[in-house]
Amino acid sequence: MTAELIEGARVILDDRIEVASVRIEGGRITGIDVARDGARVIPAKGRILAPAFVDVHGDAFERQLQPRPGVMVPVEAAMLESDRQLAANGIATAYHALSLSWEPGLRSVEVGWQVVAALERLSPRLTTDNRIQLRWETFYPEAEPLIAHVLQSHARPSLAFNDHTTSSLLHPDVALHDRPFDHVEDYPVTDITSDRFRDKMGDRAKRSQISTDAYIDLLSRVWSRRPEVPPQIERIAALARQHGAPMLSHDDSQVETRDWYRAMGATVAEFPMHERVFLAAREAGDPIVLGAPNAMRGGSHLGSPGAAEMIARGLCDILASDYFYPAMLGAMVRLHADRVAPLPALWKLVSVNPARAMGLTDRGRIAAGQRADLLLLDWPEGQCPAPLRTWVAGRAGYSALPLQLQPEVVLS
């Protein structure tokens, strides 16, 4: 592979931004401000060069799988399109948040198997480092064969414990962010025969391609399994520990919930829903993940704590794309404009911090020896930035370079 020298960009380093040249060869960064030494030069004066994004939780691929409610498209086509979108948005490492639920349709284990098989077949053709977050609905033990397969055969996936079953049955008098620990005996359950509950389940039924009545009946049967859930979680957690997979718990509302999952090895707090959980996670040293759309929009659409506030308070370590790939860059723009923190500190939220949380020590920084996962940006002062090129392990994963920035061959 011919060496490249990205010359004269403003480079986001660990603790500063400085004009520098970055040399890459053999998929690695081989030096900063070193000699051209026969490398192809990419003139990048006036541009920003940053570590490419590491996305620990993204489910926007679901929109490619099901672009309209009930309308599924071929899985390989959907995953190829998702891969291209990732690269075009500067994401070099992506954990697809693959829901493994008792719901039929889009979030079913059957579709999960199809996505996993498609990623296996497409692997040589994919641009980005496509990985899997096993987003397991804890009321569905039938997902275990797929979980075991992915843990054994894929580049180190992650496992996220989700309990949307319990939260969906929460009594309306209790705010979602105040719901008790999922496994308490006297959990406040709603009236599933009410019109309000039927309306709430309508969209989920459409996603599952069944009637609302059928969806509520299925949910009721799944809920009857509740006593079996804690030992199921403990068994799956043990399997993940055996394979060294990082684990996350999702939407924790109580300190008891965070403590319970941490004790099983789920040391990453994903989208905590109450300040008390943030504080408990920080005290325990747990990485805290929030959604980049939250930061980009200036608040959560669910009423959870605002990302900008949590970042300013030192209570957020990672921003994930969640449901919108462009939000990782968009969050950097909004947080930088609002002066929440200096840009090098903000960039760690989308690069080195998520990489470390997933055990990936070879990426997330611009430094000699690191993987050449890089993002070149056109970012005029006061304007919206645009990705010009994404490198994934030194390969050109995406390029929209104008003619004047195309590589030039330099012989010495």
Side-chain angles (χ1 to χ4, degrees):
M1 184 182 294
T2 304
E4 290 184 324
L5 189 75
I6 309 162
E7 193 169 68
R10 297 178 63 222
V11 181
I12 298 179
L13 299 169
D14 290 343
D15 58 357
R16 66 193 185 282
I17 300 175
E18 66 178 34
V19 175
S21 296
V22 176
R23 192 177 195 274
I24 60 178
E25 186 173 7
R28 298 277 169 178
I29 298 170
T30 55
I32 297 176
D33 283 339
V34 295
R36 289 178 169 182
D37 193 22
R40 290 188 305 170
V41 173
I42 297 176
K45 183 178 180 181
R47 314 293 177 168
I48 294 283
L49 184 68
F53 300 133
V54 178
D55 186 12
V56 300
H57 175 112
D59 58 35
F61 73 96
E62 290 185 344
R63 286 189 184 81
Q64 276 65 257
L65 286 169
Q66 192 178 89
R68 287 186 176 181
V71 178
M72 298 289 289
V73 303
V75 174
E76 286 197 5
M79 299 315 295
L80 281 169
E81 172 60 19
S82 298
D83 176 65
R84 275 32 177 191
Q85 288 189 20
L86 290 165
N89 284 287
I91 301 172
T93 303
Y95 286 80
H96 296 294
L98 183 65
S99 291
L100 306 176
S101 174
W102 47 262
E103 286 188 2
L106 178 64
R107 294 188 166 179
S108 66
V109 169
E110 289 73 23
V111 171
W113 275 113
Q114 293 174 36
V115 171
V116 168
L119 289 175
E120 289 174 347
R121 289 191 299 269
L122 293 170
S123 179
R125 300 172 57 195
L126 296 175
T127 299
T128 57
D129 185 356
N130 285 256
R131 296 176 178 240
I132 293 175
Q133 182 197 77
L134 294 159
R135 190 183 184 192
W136 176 47
E137 186 64 34
T138 58
F139 273 70
Y140 199 58
E142 290 85 348
E144 185 170 350
L146 178 54
I147 292 171
H149 172 81
V150 173
L151 287 171
Q152 292 169 2
S153 62
H154 280 255
R156 199 173 184 225
S158 64
L159 172 66
F161 296 98
N162 283 244
D163 186 354
H164 292 129
T165 307
T166 300
S167 61
S168 67
L169 285 164
L170 181 68
H171 195 281
D173 288 348
V174 182
L176 186 62
H177 61 268
D178 275 329
R179 75 186 191 282
F181 175 49
D182 298 326
H183 305 299
V184 296
E185 290 187 12
D186 55 346
Y187 187 84
V189 180
T190 190
D191 176 8
I192 65 172
T193 66
S194 70
D195 291 340
R196 181 175 180 178
F197 184 74
R198 283 182 54 80
D199 291 343
K200 180 181 175 182
M201 294 299 108
D203 287 341
R204 301 186 191 190
K206 287 181 182 178
R207 182 177 67 199
S208 301
Q209 298 177 265
I210 58 176
S211 70
T212 301
D213 287 337
Y215 186 92
I216 292 173
D217 179 65
L218 176 58
L219 175 58
S220 298
R221 285 185 277 120
V222 169
W223 181 246
S224 69
R225 299 175 164 187
R226 188 170 184 245
E228 306 162 17
V229 172
Q232 289 168 185
I233 295 172
E234 291 172 5
R235 186 178 66 255
I236 297 298
L239 184 62
R241 290 196 302 271
Q242 177 185 334
H243 290 279
M247 289 185 277
L248 314 84
S249 64
H250 183 83
D251 285 354
D252 296 342
S253 59
Q254 298 292 339
V255 173
E256 183 181 2
T257 312
R258 178 86 286 274
D259 290 347
W260 194 75
Y261 280 108
R262 186 191 307 110
M264 285 184 287
T267 57
V268 180
E270 183 180 69
F271 309 149
M273 301 197 76
H274 198 284
E275 180 184 49
R276 57 181 167 255
V277 182
F278 284 85
L279 294 172
R282 176 52 65 243
E283 184 177 355
D286 301 337
I288 301 169
V289 182
L290 287 175
N294 180 326
M296 181 183 187
R297 296 174 61 251
S300 168
H301 70 288
L302 293 175
S304 297
E309 177 190 350
M310 295 297 106
I311 292 165
R313 294 174 60 186
L315 295 175
C316 173
D317 306 290
I318 296 165
L319 292 174
S321 75
D322 200 3
Y323 54 86
F324 189 53
Y325 295 141
M328 298 188 81
L329 180 56
M332 295 296 96
V333 175
R334 176 69 179 265
L335 295 168
H336 178 57
D338 291 346
R339 299 183 179 181
V340 173
L343 191 58
L346 293 173
W347 212 271
K348 291 178 180 179
L349 300 168
V350 290
S351 56
V352 68
N353 289 358
R356 297 300 181 269
M358 295 296 104
L360 303 174
T361 59
D362 64 343
R363 66 197 73 183
R365 301 170 55 232
I366 297 181
Q370 289 277 289
R371 257 175 59 123
D373 289 354
L374 300 167
L375 173 60
L376 186 65
L377 292 167
D378 174 32
W379 195 346
E381 183 71 28
Q383 298 184 44
C384 185
L388 292 176
R389 189 167 181 178
T390 304
W391 288 263
V392 181
R395 295 178 292 106
Y398 166 79
S399 183
L401 290 177
L403 187 61
Q404 64 268 29
L405 287 185
Q406 293 296 328
E408 59 185 58
V409 177
V410 177
L411 300 178
S412 62

